[in-house]
Amino acid sequence: MDAVQPTLVTRLNAEWEWLCADRGNADRVRSWMLDAGVLDEDQAPAELGELCTLLRKRSERDEPEFSDAWMGVLLRRVSAGDGRDAELAARVLVQAMLPLACRMLRDCVRSGESSEDVAQVVIASLWEVVRTYPIARRLRRVATGLRMELWHRVSRELKRELAPSEHLDEAWVAALPGGVEPADAVEPVLLARAAEEAGLRAAASAVEELEGARGEMVALLVWALEREVLTTEAASGICDHYREGAVQDAAAASAWGVSPVALRRRRSRAVSRLRQAAPQWAEAA
């Protein structure tokens, strides 16, 4: 990516400073958090930037329930579509997720593509994810859900909006595992990040495998974990079994501390649940 920050990101950061300078914005967001019991009166800074920094730091330190609480407050405002409040709530969430979007942007830009063009795709996807997140149905693991939704949308939109580049810059190529074709590397790298976030660390560590049918399967497993269709254990079992060079069931069962028969039954149940849910994934893709 260009050393210069994309203009769109610069504008968002400048706009954020302007929003923070308006005390009314801080008062509104602060009152939402106090009314919901997310923060106590003596905990909540009066300045919007400081308040949001506190929420992010607490999210990193505390259990996921804290992220669910404050992000849920904002997402319910967004989904209510109540004019200025909905716009402000969405804007706070966009700013909170902007560092993630910028990291994704850096991963996506290939030689011959403009960072400005990719930024348009990533930031537009971020706004869409914030505005459409189904908070009424998905109250838990909200931060993870938002990140996964952003990965899915960016991955789809880059395919749709930007033509494949013939080559990647040298730094990107040097970072790729052996055997990965540069022109095909963007989606597997994003998928590896999503797999790691979802808990499929074995898949995340083998970027070179995340293409074709294997990539589609891992993308489905990431989706299934985010929707809580499968547990991490069940998804990992499927991911480890259906791959080239997979260990035999006896060895895998020993590693899991179960019998081979129990392992096969567990995997069969997981595959059945995945098969039932797959049409929903296909519809969302």
Side-chain angles (χ1 to χ4, degrees):
M1 186 175 130
D2 299 341
V4 178
Q5 182 171 263
T7 303
L8 181 55
V9 175
T10 300
R11 286 206 308 265
L12 283 172
N13 285 325
E15 178 192 73
W16 179 247
E17 291 182 8
W18 177 79
L19 286 170
C20 290
D22 184 338
R23 180 62 180 269
N25 293 325
D27 290 343
R28 284 154 67 199
V29 177
R30 188 174 187 273
S31 70
W32 301 340
M33 297 302 158
L34 295 177
D35 291 345
V38 174
L39 296 172
D40 296 330
E41 182 79 30
D42 59 349
Q43 293 177 318
E47 197 273 329
L48 182 59
E50 293 178 4
L51 175 62
C52 294
T53 297
L54 173 66
L55 292 171
R56 287 197 301 270
K57 287 184 176 179
R58 284 276 306 273
S59 295
E60 294 169 1
R61 187 187 70 212
D62 296 352
E63 295 297 319
E65 287 78 7
F66 182 77
S67 294
D68 293 345
W70 74 266
M71 288 184 164
V73 167
L74 296 175
L75 286 167
R76 281 187 284 275
R77 292 275 174 179
V78 174
S79 63
D82 188 15
R84 289 180 60 221
D85 282 357
E87 285 300 314
L88 178 59
R91 185 63 184 84
V92 171
L93 281 166
V94 165
Q95 193 67 27
M97 296 183 67
L98 191 57
L100 169 68
C102 288
R103 290 194 298 273
M104 191 173 290
L105 199 166
R106 287 192 293 270
D107 287 342
C108 293
V109 177
R110 297 172 291 183
S111 178
E113 291 174 351
S114 163
S115 63
E116 298 288 350
D117 290 340
V118 178
Q120 290 286 343
V121 172
V122 174
I123 300 303
S125 297
L126 175 57
W127 274 106
E128 191 65 19
V129 164
V130 167
R131 285 172 171 154
T132 61
Y133 190 82
I135 188 61
R137 291 188 288 105
R138 289 157 59 190
L139 299 171
R140 297 174 59 248
R141 300 176 68 220
V142 175
T144 298
L146 286 167
R147 288 192 291 269
M148 293 299 100
E149 288 289 347
L150 182 59
W151 169 74
H152 283 297
R153 189 171 292 274
V154 168
S155 184
R156 290 197 302 267
E157 292 303 316
L158 284 175
K159 283 183 177 180
R160 186 176 302 152
E161 298 292 335
L162 300 179
S165 294
E166 189 169 331
H167 301 291
L168 294 174
D169 60 83
E170 293 181 4
W172 181 284
V173 172
L176 293 174
V180 175
E181 291 297 323
D184 298 329
V186 167
E187 187 178 359
V189 170
L190 287 180
L191 179 53
R193 295 262 178 126
E196 182 176 14
E197 180 70 35
L200 293 176
R201 291 177 176 80
S205 65
V207 180
E208 69 275 12
E209 296 181 7
L210 300 182
E211 300 178 71
R214 171 71 176 175
E216 288 293 314
M217 184 192 73
V218 173
L220 172 57
L221 291 173
V222 168
W223 174 87
L225 282 167
E226 196 275 315
R227 295 299 196 283
E228 298 186 353
V229 172
L230 297 177
T231 64
T232 302
E233 181 181 87
S236 296
I238 294 174
C239 187
D240 292 343
H241 180 72
Y242 295 103
R243 66 185 301 178
E244 186 175 349
V247 300
Q248 296 295 314
D249 280 350
S254 177
W256 284 102
V258 297
S259 70
V261 171
L263 178 69
R264 285 190 286 271
R265 286 176 179 167
R266 179 189 297 172
R267 186 170 61 235
S268 178
R269 289 194 296 269
V271 169
S272 178
R273 288 195 295 273
L274 194 61
R275 186 178 293 117
Q276 292 172 9
Q280 300 173 38
W281 174 68
E283 184 178 342

